[in-house]
Amino acid sequence: MAHVVATGAGKAMMARRNDPTHDYILKLTGKDRPRVLFLGTATGDEADYIVSFYGTYDSDRCAPHHLRLFHRELDDIETFVRGFDVIHVGGGNTANMLDVWKRQGLDDILRSMWADESSNTVFTGGSAGGICWFEGGTTDSYGPTLQILPEGLGFLHGSFCPHYDAEDQRKPIFHRALLDGTLSEGFAVGNLQSLHFENGEFVTAISPVEDPLALQVEAVDGRIVESALPTVILSGTGPIAKGPSA
C-alpha cells in the first residue's frame, strides 16, 4: 500500500514546523518512529533546506536522514533509499531534479519502490516535490516565464499545478495546456493544501487552514471546468505568505 501526498509549497511548507500536514504524512506509515529521507536535489542539495528539514522532521517525531546527489557519498544508494518509510522531495527546479535522478538511477529506484505491492512507502513533497509524482505539470524550471513540464515519474495519472493561489501565471498556462492537450486532466492546489493518493487513487485533499483551494481541473468541450475536491481540514497554525516556485 503506497501513498502519495503532494503539496502546493515546498520550502514554505517545510518552514511550518508545527503544521499538522507533517504529522498526517508520518501517521500514514503506521509506525511510531518512521524513517524519513529528504531529497533536496531540486535546489542542488542546498544546505539551508536540509537544515530546515531536520528542524521540522526532528528526531523526536521520526528518524530523519538526507541523500545528497550533487556531492554523493554512497556507492549503493538503492539499498539506502529502500530502507525508508517516507521519501520527502523538496521544492526547486523540477526539470533539473528529474534529470539528475535519471543520471544517478534514482528514478528507477523510486519507480520500483512504488510498484512493490508489499511496500507501505509514503512519497511526498511540495512544489517540485509534488509535481514529480504525476505525468506532468507547470514549472518555472526554465526561467521566470512559466512553462509546461510534460514528463514526471508518472506514479499518478494526470497533471499537477502547485501555487494555484500564489502565482499569477500558474492558472492561465495550466488551462492552456489542458485545452490544447499538452497536459491531461489534473489537479490544482494552493500553497498550503495537499492531495493524498493511495495506490494511485485519490483519497482526499487536506488543509491546515479554512477555505482550502484544492481542485480537479479538466477541459470539457473546449472550456475549463474546475471542481472542488473533498478536503479534510486539519487543526493548523494559520496561513503563510506566498510560497516558492516549483
Side-chain angles (χ1 to χ4, degrees):
M1 182 185 301
H3 302 268
V4 169
V5 180
T7 304
K11 281 187 177 182
M13 177 57 84
M14 187 68 79
R16 291 170 58 88
R17 296 186 176 182
N18 296 320
D19 195 297
T21 303
H22 305 303
D23 293 322
Y24 184 97
I25 290 166
L26 294 175
K27 287 178 181 178
L28 289 176
T29 68
K31 297 185 177 181
D32 293 333
R33 194 166 183 266
R35 288 172 53 82
V36 181
L37 178 64
F38 178 66
L39 299 173
T41 320
T43 54
D45 297 326
E46 181 183 273
D48 288 348
Y49 204 170
I50 295 173
V51 170
S52 179
F53 162 73
Y54 281 102
T56 298
Y57 288 83
D58 59 72
S59 58
D60 289 336
R61 71 200 312 185
C62 65
H65 298 265
H66 69 279
L67 175 64
R68 295 189 300 175
L69 294 179
F70 282 85
H71 301 281
R72 183 168 163 173
E73 299 168 336
L74 297 173
D75 290 323
D76 182 8
I77 63 171
E78 180 168 6
T79 300
F80 179 70
V81 172
R82 283 184 173 277
F84 289 92
D85 306 298
V86 178
I87 306 296
H88 198 301
V89 178
N93 190 306
T94 316
N96 287 359
M97 175 185 76
L98 292 171
D99 284 351
V100 171
W101 285 1
K102 184 176 181 62
R103 178 69 67 175
Q104 299 282 342
L106 182 59
D107 58 339
D108 286 338
I109 295 170
L110 295 176
R111 286 191 182 96
S112 177
M113 291 173 67
W114 173 255
D116 184 354
E117 295 183 357
S118 66
S119 170
N120 191 41
T121 308
V122 180
F123 300 90
T124 188
S127 197
I131 295 169
C132 64
W133 314 118
F134 291 81
E135 294 171 334
T138 60
T139 184
D140 63 359
S141 294
Y142 307 105
T145 301
L146 293 185
Q147 296 187 40
I148 296 303
L149 184 78
E151 73 280 344
L153 293 179
F155 291 7
L156 303 174
H157 172 67
S159 54
F160 184 66
C161 184
H163 310 300
Y164 211 57
D165 60 348
E167 297 177 355
D168 292 340
Q169 293 185 55
R170 292 281 173 173
K171 184 179 293 189
I173 192 172
F174 190 44
H175 288 183
R176 286 197 298 271
L178 293 174
L179 289 168
D180 67 19
T182 304
L183 292 178
S184 58
E185 63 182 7
F187 302 88
V189 295
N191 275 351
L192 291 181
Q193 283 69 58
S194 304
L195 304 178
H196 176 199
F197 297 81
E198 183 178 306
N199 293 337
E201 298 297 325
F202 175 75
V203 176
T204 188
I206 61 173
S207 175
V209 295
E210 299 287 344
D211 300 320
L213 179 61
L215 305 169
Q216 182 174 15
V217 188
E218 56 188 332
V220 179
D221 296 329
R223 64 186 183 91
I224 293 295
V225 176
E226 296 181 338
S227 304
L229 293 167
T231 304
V232 173
I233 306 298
L234 308 174
S235 58
T237 55
I240 60 170
K242 304 304 185 184
S245 299

